[in-house]
Amino acid sequence: MSASEAPARIRRMLEQLVERRLLLGGQVFHRHGSESHRIAVGEAPGVGAAEAAGRLYCANKPVLAVIAGLAAQDGLLGFQDPLTRFFGDCAPAMAAVTVADLLGHAVRLPPSLHRDSPSLDERGRRIAATATPRQGPAHYNAQSTSAVLGAIVERVHARPLADVVEERVARPLGLRDLALVPRPGRPYGALHRRDGQLRFVPVDDEARGLDALNPGQAGVSTAADAGLLYADLLESLDGRGTLLSQATARRLVAAGPPVHLYDLGERSWGLGFQRDLPQGILGAGWGPGTFGHLGTAPRRIVVVHAADPEAGRVLTMRLFSPVDDRWVRQLTVIA
């Protein structure tokens, strides 16, 4: 199957799944070489899938990794910098934790929300000052790590995280629907819900949703915006990217220690990116160097970011309320 045939087959499968009510809808971005396609099928209650940016799209993982890479290139931080460089009152158990530990989820931080914090900076400071990493192997927890990373970004830039994301990532790549914190006048649809009858995201998570204190709750993006970010990462690996140098991009996606990812077992992680997506998650045809992110609601895959450097291929998708997660694998097979 040629690269030009894949988008049409993806659209047909999505349309069939929506007709059978196995899927509420989906957004997909597919790029193979220089050819890009954007696909939107189905809808959430009262919201067209093509017009809305979906909440819980896991935009924070690649964005914070890229932001950290840019700050390293600017000499504002180093991946091996300990938290004591940024927070003067670190708890003893947190003092030696590094930026790389946060990006690689190599430290088991508890989910510390600190709802009464007046700012992201204060929430990050409180986590650094009070958290005690849990014993055991590395375990994925974007809630706390993203808050601390976001607070570090604000400190080294002396600017709000939203401004840094807009100026350093969204604007250079022309991304219109990317944000890790709320933006005035830009509502986002809760597209992971099926008219209140089928809900895969816990109500408590949904309630805190997109919050200025909680960039770890995924942020928002369309599949196209996430796809364009990954396309630039692929180009950066060849030294042609807009955002990152080749050396920085390679450090971010280099294979790191195994991290326990929810109910999917141990997975190899880089500095912000999962590295073994082809092993039992994506379909056949994805190379061993594929990197990206898998987003889950309880026992259901709803978000996939995948970039294959060997094939020059990017696939980002967000499926709204899938009944059966096996369709994700079938969609990646035909891509």
Side-chain angles (χ1 to χ4, degrees):
M1 180 178 58
S2 69
S4 60
E5 293 175 322
R9 291 191 62 186
I10 292 172
R11 179 180 289 277
R12 284 198 297 271
M13 175 175 279
L14 286 175
E15 289 174 343
Q16 291 170 0
L17 293 174
V18 170
E19 289 176 2
R20 295 166 60 188
R21 300 299 293 172
L22 297 174
L23 195 69
L24 183 63
Q27 297 172 337
V28 177
F29 174 91
H30 180 266
R31 172 175 284 187
H32 200 157
S34 61
E35 190 172 319
S36 298
H37 296 269
R38 307 180 187 200
I39 303 165
V41 173
E43 61 179 359
V47 182
E51 290 75 38
R55 180 177 287 178
L56 294 166
Y57 194 75
C58 298
N60 62 315
K61 290 80 172 179
V63 171
L64 284 171
V66 169
I67 286 288
L70 289 169
Q73 290 177 182
D74 293 342
L76 298 177
L77 60 78
F79 289 133
Q80 298 306 319
D81 286 348
L83 293 191
T84 49
R85 179 189 163 188
F86 311 104
F87 304 99
D89 53 349
C90 280
M94 295 291 289
V97 172
T98 67
V99 172
D101 290 333
L102 297 175
L103 287 169
H105 300 282
V107 57
R108 295 190 69 175
L109 294 182
S112 309
L113 285 175
H114 296 292
R115 294 176 184 273
D116 60 338
S117 299
S119 65
L120 173 62
D121 181 81
E122 176 62 15
R123 182 180 171 217
R125 188 199 67 78
R126 291 190 188 183
I127 294 172
T130 63
T132 299
R134 298 171 178 173
Q135 297 298 311
H139 193 284
Y140 183 77
N141 175 13
Q143 294 290 331
S144 298
T145 55
S146 293
V148 177
L149 281 168
I152 289 173
V153 167
E154 291 194 339
R155 290 192 173 204
V156 299
H157 284 278
R159 308 197 66 196
L161 177 62
D163 292 348
V164 179
V165 171
E166 173 64 24
E167 294 177 11
R168 299 305 304 274
V169 178
R171 193 176 301 164
L173 296 182
L175 309 182
R176 297 176 299 173
D177 288 301
L178 174 68
L180 302 189
V181 298
R183 293 182 296 179
R186 296 295 300 274
Y188 298 96
L191 301 182
H192 56 281
R193 302 172 64 184
R194 183 179 292 220
D195 198 23
Q197 301 303 310
L198 186 60
R199 192 189 306 256
F200 290 145
V201 177
V203 174
D204 188 44
D205 277 351
E206 181 185 350
R208 61 184 180 244
L210 189 64
D211 189 282
L213 302 183
N214 196 27
Q217 189 56 34
V220 293
S221 176
T222 57
D225 275 6
L228 290 172
L229 177 60
Y230 275 86
D232 190 64
L233 280 165
L234 279 189
E235 293 179 349
S236 294
L237 292 173
D238 291 332
R240 301 178 290 108
T242 298
L243 299 180
L244 298 174
S245 69
Q246 185 178 49
T248 300
R250 288 181 174 179
R251 287 194 70 185
L252 291 178
V253 302
V259 173
H260 191 86
L261 182 65
Y262 303 126
D263 56 348
L264 299 173
E266 287 193 340
R267 297 286 167 182
S268 174
W269 214 270
L271 298 183
F273 298 94
Q274 189 178 335
R275 277 305 310 268
D276 54 3
L277 284 167
Q279 300 178 23
I281 295 177
L282 302 182
W286 291 88
T290 299
F291 65 92
H293 177 72
L294 173 71
T296 66
R299 306 187 190 285
R300 293 293 182 271
I301 298 172
V302 293
V303 174
V304 173
H305 306 166
D308 184 350
E310 184 177 346
R313 178 170 50 167
V314 171
L315 178 73
T316 53
M317 68 171 75
R318 187 184 192 285
L319 305 182
F320 312 147
S321 298
V323 170
D324 192 331
D325 58 18
R326 65 194 172 98
W327 301 115
V328 171
R329 184 177 175 87
Q330 292 200 23
L331 284 167
T332 61
V333 169
I334 66 176

